[in-house]
Amino acid sequence: QEQLVESGGGVVQPGRSLRLSCAASGFIFSNYGMHWVRQAPGKGLEWVAVVSYDGSKKYYADSVKGRFTISKDDSKNMLYVQMNSLRVEDTAVYYCAKWGVYYGMDVWGQGTTVTVSS
Amino acid sequence: EIVLTQSPGTLSLSPGERATLSCRASQSVSSSYLTWYQQKPGQAPRLLIYGASTRATGIPDRFSGSGSGTDFTLTISSLEPADFAVYYCQLYGSSSWTFGQGTKVEIK
């Protein structure tokens, strides 16, 4: 079945960098765009970034633009987000999600936790 | 930037009751761009409805979506114990995605 597994979360100091990974299986990864979505503790969902199926288009939320970079490696069925200049407010559970039918996200990973703290 | 507003913030109902959740956009949008999710504590969100009214694979028919323009509704016809959760609407627009703040459906 279709599955996404995130990794790479942890505790990091403000201003430092972290790269999250998402391993995809059970579907043709190269055919789909992919998203990162985050959820701060006790808060709602916030869309972070999307990459098109072929990697040619990338869009970001204003809150992360210029600091985060999304990418996908179809040869490895992997999605990434490079997070630089991390801020306390970036603390959240980060989910990767598959761009499914229409504009929804039909497969989600279990999430990986990022804590930005001094 | 389009703003999504969900109401109510919390809905207190008993099993078997009907739940009606609202999602309002700050300007008219295409129904194709409106999606609903369910999230239970400690779990990832689950896709319920896409294109405002189409149930995702495996979603029971007690869940239905409707609406157009600026006003969209998620209806759960008869609440089951597994349905008590937080529900989010989501909108695509101008190469970005926006979530509503969520409606919590809790047991009364």
Side-chain angles (χ1 to χ4, degrees):
Chain A
Q1 75 280 20
E2 299 178 335
Q3 189 174 10
L4 298 170
V5 179
E6 302 94 336
S7 60
V11 180
V12 61
Q13 293 180 326
R16 303 300 290 262
S17 299
L18 202 61
R19 188 179 83 156
L20 305 182
S21 302
C22 169
S25 60
F27 62 98
I28 302 174
F29 186 69
S30 58
N31 285 357
Y32 292 93
M34 297 292 296
H35 296 267
W36 285 100
V37 175
R38 68 185 181 183
Q39 188 168 35
K43 303 297 185 182
L45 301 170
E46 179 188 15
W47 173 76
V48 172
V50 65
V51 58
S52 61
Y53 74 99
D54 61 356
S56 65
K57 297 182 177 65
K58 302 173 184 181
Y59 300 102
Y60 300 91
D62 287 344
S63 58
V64 306
K65 200 172 294 183
R67 300 187 299 123
F68 289 15
T69 302
I70 190 172
S71 62
K72 66 192 307 259
D73 184 338
D74 291 341
S75 68
K76 297 180 179 179
N77 287 356
M78 294 292 293
L79 175 72
Y80 304 101
V81 62
Q82 177 67 41
M83 306 186 296
N84 298 333
S85 303
L86 282 162
R87 304 168 180 170
V88 171
E89 54 265 36
D90 295 319
T91 294
V93 175
Y94 284 74
Y95 297 100
C96 61
K98 171 175 161 274
W99 184 346
V101 290
Y102 283 57
Y103 293 88
M105 302 170 191
D106 63 351
V107 182
W108 294 68
Q110 84 289 350
T112 189
T113 301
V114 174
T115 303
V116 184
S117 173
S118 54
Chain B
E1 178 188 341
I2 301 177
V3 177
L4 282 182
T5 303
Q6 292 187 241
S7 62
T10 302
L11 201 49
S12 298
L13 295 168
S14 300
E17 289 193 294
R18 182 183 187 90
T20 304
L21 287 67
S22 173
C23 177
R24 177 164 292 177
S26 56
Q27 62 190 74
S28 185
V29 301
S30 168
S31 297
S32 298
Y33 297 168
L34 198 285
T35 307
W36 289 94
Y37 300 88
Q38 176 194 67
Q39 187 180 33
K40 297 179 181 180
Q43 296 185 17
R46 177 173 73 144
L47 175 65
L48 291 178
I49 301 282
Y50 62 88
S53 61
T54 304
R55 278 188 300 277
T57 302
I59 301 302
D61 61 7
R62 64 180 181 273
F63 291 91
S64 64
S66 63
S68 63
T70 60
D71 292 311
F72 299 88
T73 300
L74 175 70
T75 301
I76 311 170
S77 59
S78 179
L79 283 164
E80 299 277 339
D83 301 336
F84 291 92
V86 179
Y87 293 85
Y88 294 94
C89 59
Q90 176 205 60
L91 182 68
Y92 166 77
S94 301
S95 302
S96 68
W97 281 254
T98 302
F99 287 92
Q101 80 277 22
T103 291
K104 181 179 181 180
V105 179
E106 65 176 21
I107 299 176
K108 186 175 181 179

